[in-house]
Amino acid sequence: MSLDAMLQVAASGLLMGLIYALVAAGLSLIFGLMDVVNFAHGELMMIAMYAVFSLWQASGLDPFILLPLVAALLFGLGMAIYRLLIARALAVRFNKGMVQIFATFGLAIFIRGLAQMIFGGEFRSITGTWLGGRTWNLAGIYLPLPQLAASLVCLLAFAGLLLIGRTEFGRALEATREDREAVALIGIDRDRIFALGWGLGAATVGVAGVMLAGFYYVSPNVGANFALIAYVTVALGGFGSLLGALGAGLLIGEVEAITAQLLEPSLKQVGMFAIYLAVLMFRPRGLFGKI
Amino acid sequence: MNAITQRRRREAITAALLLAFLIALPLPIHDVYTRNLFIITLLFAGLAQSWNILGGLCGQISLGHSLYFGIGAYVSTLLFVGPHISPWLGMCAAFGTAGLLALLVGWPCFRLSGHYYAIATVVVQEIGYLLFLNWDWVGAASGVYIPFRGESWLGLQFRTAKLPYFYLTLAFATLTWLIAWWIEGSRLGYTFRAVKDDAIAARSLGVRIFPSKMAAAFISGGLTGMGGAIFAQYVGYIDPDSILSGPLSILIALPAVLGGVGTLWGPLLGAAVLIPLRELSSTFLGGSGSGVDLMLYGALIMVVALLRPQGLVSLFPRAKTEAAR
């Protein structure tokens, strides 16, 4: 393989890896805060994709303009899911872990059915956007502009998440994560922090979904595959670690691109799954997880 | 006679009565659709009980059990299609292969705990799915057809009759129940409970954690593989999407979770509620691809998980005390 081809593979891995990282960041944030794995995470992304698709169809506005609106929508949805479902799941006294897994899993199936009912099973895609179909030739390496924009937005979203971590709210998040019983003593409303955490996690995956919709088809099942990659990314990076999600997302994107190049494209996920299992042998709590 | 022996005797008597009822159940019902519903329900009752041995009794939540189901189905099917080996032997081979595979998966994965373990099982199953999907020798994505070689019990093939498959799946469900019942009362059951409740305390008392988990994995994975072999022979066609997929893994675990994890009757009860509901809603509501059946299915899972965290068995007061034990 020539050097150009190798750089091309590395570049496409990098672009996809940043998307994976942002999808995983929302999952990791929620898990770190309250030990809940959201098995409907991919479906939240799917909702964001359908939301931007419908808004684009209705208004003709570019997904870029719709991004803040959809992110806000997802923020509200995340808070609603916490209040209506997760708060109840946290309150049960028996089989806590199992109840959380299956309550969010039931939600995932419900959302998939809802999408099927409203939009049908066909693949849909957004066309005619500002960046659609254009590429940037960087010294012989072709970078599709929608993907390049998506990965830049992902980087910005990561920067935003890190900045939020330095605000009063971010410190309350961190304190709640450290000791969720003790924060009540210093006047932090745990329930409110959890709800905001869910809103933030959902908005994060919403941003990823909107940017993904610029170059990827939408269907009721689109979330499932991305969600599996997100679980692998989060477990590889270490649950609850934001930088872990970023690093692991990039690694997974690269491994996927390289596997698709060396083996068949249909086997591209085998490589990342194998790397994940191999790493867990030596770091059972992920690359950046607390031992 | 102490309380435990008494309870176990009561469980055995209940099971015998239930079995007698189930043996008679299909005789007055000749409707093919209903008999098929019974067969699928019993199959999943057995699968959920197999899952329950690892997930419920030993507390290791595997979300990748369709791997063992799929391997079992492939092993017995390939033995039948190629060298004409009877599915009865195929079932034994399926048990052995799937059990060994579960050991192979358990060896690295049992070092992980909690969510890390659950996700690792999904990933291993997904690797298996992708490999079989691309492996031409086993039919890749187009799967394997099981040729019809005449009606016989030896070949477990019947042109139209459903009754033999009903008794086959009933035997499978009974076998898994008996094994779970036996484990509960044996030394193995005590070590499983110790591992589930508090692994660190158990280790300090000299319980060997890792071998206990491996034993649970072997039995659970092997029985699931056996179920896969039965399913393949019943349906006559297998492909990775129908026997080795993520949704199937969940469907194997779900009856146990809804019915009552770690209980003897939970998987049975969960399957009796969930499987007919799922089949009926997809027949009557899902035909047009409307998604209403999925919404109903998802809503049911959420409602039961939130309202009955101990599972549906907790609706029965006597079973409740046993579930809370």
Side-chain angles (χ1 to χ4, degrees):
Chain A
M1 208 195 315
S2 70
L3 183 67
D4 269 6
M6 278 199 296
L7 284 174
Q8 182 70 52
V9 168
S12 60
L14 181 74
L15 295 185
M16 211 56 210
L18 280 164
I19 300 248
Y20 291 156
L22 193 62
V23 177
L27 190 67
S28 186
L29 192 137
I30 290 170
F31 178 86
L33 196 58
M34 61 190 92
D35 274 2
V36 172
V37 173
N38 175 19
F39 278 88
H41 198 66
E43 278 61 34
L44 290 179
M45 190 188 88
M46 178 259 280
I47 288 180
M49 291 175 84
Y50 271 119
V52 73
F53 174 79
S54 311
L55 288 171
W56 164 78
Q57 217 173 24
S59 68
L61 292 173
D62 196 85
F64 255 121
I65 299 174
L66 298 168
L67 178 64
L69 183 63
V70 176
L73 211 70
L74 265 285
F75 190 92
L77 182 67
M79 283 186 71
I81 291 175
Y82 174 77
R83 296 271 188 216
L84 295 175
L85 186 70
I86 308 303
R88 283 161 217 254
L90 288 174
V92 303
R93 286 181 299 136
F94 297 99
N95 291 330
K96 248 191 177 138
M98 205 120 20
V99 167
Q100 287 159 13
I101 290 180
F102 285 94
T104 54
F105 179 74
L107 178 69
I109 295 186
F110 181 84
I111 296 174
R112 250 181 257 174
L114 192 67
Q116 179 93 28
M117 190 175 80
I118 300 175
F119 297 98
E122 308 90 69
F123 287 17
R124 290 158 187 275
S125 52
I126 298 177
T127 49
T129 57
W130 293 342
L131 303 172
R134 289 157 68 175
T135 53
W136 181 32
N137 184 348
L138 179 73
I141 301 163
Y142 291 93
L143 301 171
L145 284 189
Q147 275 166 271
L148 190 63
S151 45
L152 287 178
V153 169
C154 287
L155 272 182
L156 285 176
F158 260 100
L161 285 175
L162 290 176
L163 278 180
I164 288 176
R166 316 190 80 178
T167 63
E168 190 74 15
F169 167 62
R171 280 200 288 273
L173 270 182
E174 182 60 33
T176 314
R177 175 209 307 252
E178 294 276 326
D179 191 336
R180 57 173 101 165
E181 307 303 327
V183 288
L185 299 175
I186 51 167
I188 293 176
D189 180 355
R190 189 185 71 181
D191 217 37
R192 194 172 147 265
I193 294 293
F194 277 1
L196 289 172
W198 264 83
L200 199 58
T204 306
V205 73
V207 170
V210 170
M211 295 320 289
L212 191 65
F215 60 94
Y216 207 85
Y217 66 87
V218 194
S219 84
N221 291 323
V222 67
N225 207 18
F226 276 87
L228 180 63
I229 295 175
Y231 301 133
V232 169
T233 308
V234 172
L236 184 61
F239 275 103
S241 161
L242 203 57
L243 287 175
L246 182 58
L250 292 175
L251 179 65
I252 292 251
E254 287 301 334
V255 169
E256 182 189 48
I258 293 167
T259 320
Q261 188 69 32
L262 296 182
L263 300 173
E264 284 177 63
S266 57
L267 284 171
K268 65 183 180 183
Q269 291 181 350
V270 172
M272 70 166 91
F273 292 158
I275 291 275
Y276 155 82
L277 288 176
V279 168
L280 283 201
M281 290 309 95
F282 301 100
R283 303 273 306 176
R285 287 183 174 273
L287 289 171
F288 301 89
K290 294 176 194 125
I291 299 290
Chain B
M1 196 160 61
N2 65 30
I4 293 180
T5 344
Q6 217 167 20
R7 196 198 72 231
R8 286 180 59 72
R9 176 168 295 181
R10 203 173 57 229
E11 285 166 356
I13 293 171
T14 315
L17 291 175
L18 185 64
L19 183 62
F21 168 72
L22 286 174
I23 287 174
L25 178 67
L27 296 177
I29 298 165
H30 296 280
D31 176 40
V32 174
Y33 181 84
T34 314
R35 282 188 170 178
N36 175 59
L37 199 61
F38 286 158
I39 292 169
I40 299 293
T41 305
L42 282 171
L43 178 70
F44 274 94
L47 291 170
Q49 189 69 272
S50 317
W51 180 88
N52 193 38
I53 290 170
L54 180 63
L57 300 182
C58 199
Q60 306 301 306
I61 304 177
S62 157
L63 298 177
H65 253 52
S66 74
L67 179 66
Y68 313 126
F69 184 88
I71 290 294
Y74 272 111
V75 163
S76 97
T77 298
L78 293 174
L79 285 176
F80 184 75
V81 172
H84 288 59
I85 289 172
S86 161
W88 292 99
L89 283 174
M91 272 185 241
C92 302
F95 182 97
T97 320
L100 287 178
L101 186 67
L103 293 181
L104 201 67
V105 173
W107 181 71
C109 291
F110 282 143
R111 294 203 270 166
L112 310 171
S113 57
H115 297 301
Y116 286 95
Y117 172 76
I119 290 175
T121 58
V122 179
V123 166
V124 173
Q125 174 249 302
E126 207 61 28
I127 293 178
Y129 169 76
L130 289 171
L131 291 179
F132 273 89
L133 199 63
N134 289 283
W135 189 6
D136 290 326
W137 190 70
V138 296
S142 48
V144 187
Y145 274 99
I146 301 177
F148 189 74
R149 295 197 179 124
E151 291 215 5
S152 79
W153 272 97
L154 189 68
L156 276 179
Q157 287 189 317
F158 304 92
R159 206 176 300 277
T160 52
K162 294 276 181 202
L163 217 48
Y165 294 113
F166 178 89
Y167 290 119
L168 182 65
T169 48
L170 180 60
F172 173 62
T174 310
L175 174 72
T176 57
W177 188 90
L178 279 174
I179 289 177
W181 180 77
W182 168 76
I183 289 175
E184 275 231 301
S186 73
R187 203 185 147 75
L188 204 57
Y190 290 100
T191 61
F192 283 3
R193 273 197 289 282
V195 170
K196 176 187 181 176
D197 291 339
D198 191 340
I200 295 169
R203 182 179 293 147
S204 72
L205 290 172
V207 175
R208 294 167 69 217
I209 310 279
F210 185 70
S212 308
K213 289 180 181 176
M214 291 291 258
F218 181 77
I219 301 170
S220 175
L223 286 173
T224 307
M226 209 172 191
I230 293 171
F231 176 81
Q233 207 64 16
Y234 175 54
V235 175
Y237 167 70
I238 55 171
D239 72 335
D241 276 309
S242 65
I243 60 164
L244 220 166
S245 67
L248 179 63
S249 291
I250 302 288
L251 197 59
I252 290 173
L254 209 48
V257 174
L258 294 185
V261 143
T263 65
L264 271 178
W265 303 107
L268 211 60
L269 187 62
V273 172
L274 180 76
I275 303 298
L277 194 99
R278 189 174 177 278
E279 294 281 318
L280 290 173
S281 66
S282 80
T283 307
F284 293 109
L285 300 170
S288 52
S290 68
V292 178
D293 58 324
L294 287 178
M295 289 169 68
L296 198 68
Y297 178 45
L300 173 87
I301 297 169
M302 281 190 280
V303 168
V304 176
L306 291 183
L307 296 185
R308 289 274 148 207
Q310 285 165 284
L312 294 169
V313 282
S314 64
L315 292 169
F316 300 88
R318 184 170 263 176
K320 190 176 182 174
T321 55
E322 285 166 18
R325 189 181 65 236

